[in-house]
Amino acid sequence: MHAFYFFQCGILRHRGAAVFARALGVGALLFFTALGVQAKPLEVVASFSLLADLVKQVGGERVLVSALAGPDTDAHHFQARPSDARRLGQADIIVMNGLGFDDWMSRLARSSGFSGVLLTVSDGLPYRLKDESGHAHGHSQGHRHAHGSAGQGYDPHAWQDVANVRVYVQAIAQALSTRDPEGRAAYEARARFFLAELDRLDTDIRTALNQLPEERRTVLIQHNAFAYFGQAYGLRILAITGTANHAEASASHLARLVRLIQKEGVAALFLENVRDDRLIQSLQRETGVRIGGRLYSDALSAPQGPAPTYVCLMRHNLSVFVRALAPAEDAPVKAQTPC
Amino acid sequence: MHDTALYTLFMAPFADFAFLRRALAGTLALSVGAAPIGVLLLLRRMSLMGDAMSHAILPGAALGYLAFGLSLWAMTLGGLVAGLAVVFAAGWVSRSSALKEEASLATFYLVSLAAGVMIVSLKGGQLDLLHVLFGSVLALDDASLYLMAGVSTLSLLGLAMLIRPLVMDCFEPAFLRHRSRWSGLAHYGFLLLVVFNLVAAFHALGTLMAVGLMILPAASARLWTQRLTPLLALSIGLAFLSSLGGLLTSFHTDAPAGPAIVLCGGLVYLVSLLGAPHGLIRPRWPARRHLAS
């Protein structure tokens, strides 16, 4: 009797416990699913630091972005490591520039077993500049380095024109939204906000550079990374080496540059963060033209440096240009915008 | 006079451009220091050792670069330490094991070369590696010129002191070891000079070609004469000729300067092989019959 009672209680207890356990389980499942959908960020790998920053601006906390070629690293000649291939294999989205800048990225993606979306941000550009290194010894030296198929001879440094970065940002927002539809509203809002900041940046650059007199607009830089900047904002950019090549210089090329500097009235020489300084210093000794400062061309700086984000990079370069090119008798042209 | 073809071809580049004058000054300093060292390497049958050591200095220079960037003093000091370490390690291994000196040196230099490449890749991209391997003779700054001039002065002084034991060591090593304590000192002092010259040369020509101005002129000079003093003088002259020719070629044909200099040295060598008294052809040329016989 008691046993039966206990048995019934036992069943009841078991059944109750079972129902309770099941309810608890389902609840936990729903809870963790919800948590998972919200908390698991998209894994995005960008080819170089600049693109990684753009993705971070658009994606915010919904993305976990990293760059293969980090700050102050030359992405033209990037040597991938096994850990890079592993990271690519696990990524949801890969973002690369294209135009021959980072062809190693698509090769690496293929070999790493990547199965997500590969976004080439330069596909939607309204215009591209041809690679102008015909006269320089860059391409005539042959492609000694694995900088890819040279993108059909296009200059890949499109991010130096802020208008092109608007296209990049829109492409990134589109790709993120496609992969993560729940976040579409967030991505678009952040993109709008960032585009407004880009517009302010573009206006500031134009305002500052329009004040330069005509004879102070020719500059010489280490490699031909600023053609888009020059064309968009009115500077004449000369370069020692072509868009990617920087192998051994020849004496005749340097001699041509010296004559060019003297003839064309170059206002200042500029160093870069991812290039060796010695040739520019050699030209400075030869011609007496001053070195205007160090520009950030193909990579962001370290976080504590002057160009940790794209906007900071452009503003830093702008201030370097303005300080070097403004005629001596003018007062400082604009206050530095902190970034 | 300034319009003649000769002037335009040979003098105008140096008159017009300071960077070419600096390159010429640097390679002249290198020639004066390195070529006689090369002659002695040749006579002591250590020519390939010179090449091995030019690669052995790479990890030291790479470590200097890793710590201080492209700083002349850091890379020079690093290269020196690495070169000397390899020299002494190879010597020690050869005395303490079954391997002879050239085998142990080969093992050390291969390991150092790979270590050097790996160290440079750790920090930056391929660009920096190329600059370390190929040097930058057209971008020599004042510090590099002083280094090269200082090393060549040191080499001349060192050679002046060591020439007699070294030469004797080439021909009668047992005699020298028996008679004097200078043998060991001379050998290691000489190796020290080799490392110094390689480290100075590698800033201009890079590790791959630093030994070019050492061995090629010495080998070419050897084909012209057998006597020591003319040998030393001619090697310096041929080294300088190669540098001059290389820089002019780079200027007129848009070729990279470093390789042009070494290839010019190769051309001089080829000409010597064909035309010199001890080369390929002249010893085999039938001698003119003397009237009397």
Side-chain angles (χ1 to χ4, degrees):
Chain A
M1 206 58 196
H2 294 277
F4 184 68
Y5 173 64
F6 279 131
F7 177 61
Q8 276 189 321
C9 276
I11 288 177
L12 214 59
R13 234 194 331 267
H14 272 291
R15 201 179 302 148
V19 169
F20 177 63
R22 213 174 300 144
L24 197 63
V26 170
L29 193 67
L30 282 172
F31 174 71
F32 283 115
T33 311
L35 207 61
V37 160
Q38 272 182 335
K40 184 175 182 308
L42 275 187
E43 290 204 21
V44 182
V45 178
S47 59
F48 71 120
S49 47
L50 205 128
L51 288 184
D53 177 59
L54 295 180
V55 173
K56 186 124 62 109
Q57 300 288 344
V58 175
E61 278 165 9
R62 296 187 73 93
V63 303
L64 199 64
V65 63
S66 63
L68 289 191
D72 289 327
T73 304
D74 181 7
H76 282 294
H77 298 80
F78 181 70
Q79 302 270 41
R81 299 210 161 86
S83 55
D84 297 328
R86 214 170 26 238
R87 247 194 301 168
L88 274 192
Q90 290 162 356
D92 296 312
I93 303 180
I94 290 182
V95 182
M96 59 183 276
N97 184 68
L99 294 178
F101 183 69
D102 45 9
D103 286 347
W104 46 265
M105 191 70 162
S106 47
R107 283 197 300 272
L108 195 65
R110 270 199 303 277
S111 71
S112 68
F114 172 70
S115 55
V117 172
L118 177 67
L119 171 66
T120 305
V121 287
S122 60
D123 282 345
L125 284 181
Y127 76 98
R128 292 138 205 236
L129 292 182
K130 275 270 185 217
D131 191 340
E132 282 296 315
S133 43
H135 78 282
H137 76 296
H139 280 260
S140 64
Q141 288 289 330
H143 294 265
R144 191 160 19 141
H145 316 302
H147 70 86
S149 57
Q152 301 89 42
Y154 288 113
D155 181 345
H157 304 87
W159 58 86
Q160 293 290 350
D161 178 0
V162 178
N164 288 339
V165 174
R166 292 182 59 95
V167 174
Y168 281 18
V169 164
Q170 278 152 354
I172 290 171
Q174 178 66 26
L176 289 177
S177 305
T178 310
R179 187 71 171 80
D180 175 25
E182 278 106 29
R184 176 179 288 273
Y187 297 136
E188 283 175 0
R190 292 186 67 98
R192 267 198 305 276
F193 183 75
F194 189 53
L195 287 174
E197 194 177 344
L198 288 180
D199 287 337
R200 278 196 297 280
L201 173 68
D202 191 66
T203 312
D204 287 346
I205 296 178
R206 284 181 200 283
T207 318
L209 292 182
N210 280 343
Q211 296 174 7
L212 292 176
E214 199 52 49
E215 67 272 11
R216 302 282 299 173
R217 286 175 181 256
T218 311
V219 300
L220 182 88
I221 308 186
Q222 177 72 26
H223 88 296
N224 194 18
F226 286 86
Y228 288 86
F229 188 92
Q231 203 204 42
Y233 303 113
L235 288 185
R236 180 144 174 261
I237 314 278
L238 303 173
I240 295 186
T241 65
T243 53
N245 178 282
H246 42 249
E248 287 243 60
S250 77
S252 69
H253 184 64
L254 273 191
R256 265 201 301 274
L257 278 173
V258 169
R259 288 204 226 276
L260 200 64
I261 291 173
Q262 287 159 346
K263 198 166 52 126
E264 304 281 344
V266 166
L269 310 174
F270 292 94
L271 308 169
E272 292 179 42
N273 65 324
V274 286
R275 285 291 183 271
D276 173 26
D277 297 342
R278 285 179 294 179
L279 279 178
I280 291 272
Q281 284 165 344
S282 182
L283 285 175
Q284 192 241 335
R285 273 195 300 271
E286 183 85 30
T287 60
V289 177
R290 57 187 284 249
I291 293 183
R294 191 180 296 275
L295 297 170
Y296 285 81
S297 53
D298 291 354
L300 300 182
S301 75
Q304 61 272 32
T309 67
Y310 172 73
V311 172
C312 287
L313 181 143
M314 297 301 280
R315 288 198 186 278
H316 169 82
N317 286 350
L318 176 66
S319 74
V320 169
F321 275 128
V322 162
R323 249 203 320 273
L325 298 176
E329 59 269 12
D330 280 6
V333 178
K334 70 189 291 295
Q336 313 309 330
T337 311
C339 71
Chain B
M1 173 1 216
H2 280 223
D3 293 332
T4 62
L6 215 62
Y7 181 80
T8 321
L9 213 56
F10 292 108
M11 295 283 294
F14 298 105
D16 293 340
F17 298 103
F19 71 86
L20 275 179
R21 287 195 293 274
R22 300 173 84 92
L24 195 65
T27 48
L28 175 61
L30 273 183
S31 307
V32 165
I37 303 267
V39 167
L40 281 167
L41 279 175
L42 205 77
L43 291 177
R44 293 161 69 81
R45 309 229 167 111
M46 286 165 55
S47 318
L48 282 177
M49 189 194 206
D51 190 34
M53 277 169 46
S54 77
H55 295 92
I57 66 179
L58 183 59
L63 280 175
Y65 162 73
L66 199 65
F68 296 102
L70 281 167
S71 143
L72 181 78
W73 302 110
M75 289 169 76
T76 301
L77 202 61
L80 226 90
V81 167
L84 292 175
V86 166
V87 159
F88 287 114
W92 177 73
V93 164
S94 75
R95 271 194 293 282
S96 324
S97 76
L99 288 174
K100 290 286 184 298
E101 182 146 29
E102 38 84 39
S104 68
L105 189 65
T107 56
F108 276 110
Y109 112 75
L110 288 167
V111 169
S112 332
L113 180 61
V117 171
M118 186 162 288
I119 292 173
V120 177
S121 329
L122 276 180
K123 172 153 179 183
Q126 220 171 335
L127 158 74
D128 305 300
L129 179 63
L130 285 173
H131 268 289
V132 166
L133 287 180
F134 293 122
S136 179
V137 70
L138 298 176
L140 293 174
D141 56 1
D142 287 344
S144 310
L145 285 179
Y146 288 138
L147 176 70
M148 288 177 188
V151 164
S152 74
T153 311
L154 187 72
S155 302
L156 287 180
L157 286 174
L159 276 183
M161 287 198 302
L162 297 175
I163 188 85
R164 289 176 68 187
L166 283 176
V167 169
M168 185 159 291
D169 206 29
C170 299
F171 303 112
E172 291 277 0
F175 176 74
L176 184 71
R177 259 193 296 266
H178 178 66
R179 287 290 296 224
S180 147
R181 275 164 304 168
W182 272 84
S183 172
L185 189 67
H187 180 67
Y188 283 110
F190 173 63
L191 289 178
L192 197 71
L193 286 179
V194 174
V195 172
F196 268 113
N197 274 284
L198 287 173
V199 165
F202 118 93
H203 286 291
L205 297 175
T207 53
L208 286 189
M209 300 192 230
V211 79
L213 274 184
M214 255 190 209
I215 299 296
L216 280 168
S220 311
R222 180 69 185 82
L223 295 170
W224 289 94
T225 173
Q226 306 246 30
R227 292 177 300 133
L228 186 62
T229 314
L231 195 54
L232 292 170
L234 188 61
S235 69
I236 295 179
L238 290 178
F240 186 56
L241 191 67
S242 312
S243 312
L244 188 67
L247 288 174
L248 284 173
T249 308
S250 174
F251 184 81
H252 290 296
T253 68
D254 210 10
I261 292 176
V262 178
L263 283 176
C264 233
L267 189 66
V268 166
Y269 175 64
L270 191 66
V271 166
S272 307
L273 265 184
L274 295 176
H278 304 288
L280 289 175
I281 298 188
R282 292 263 289 270
R284 290 168 177 76
W285 201 258
R288 272 191 308 224
R289 292 264 177 78
H290 196 268
L291 261 176
S293 61

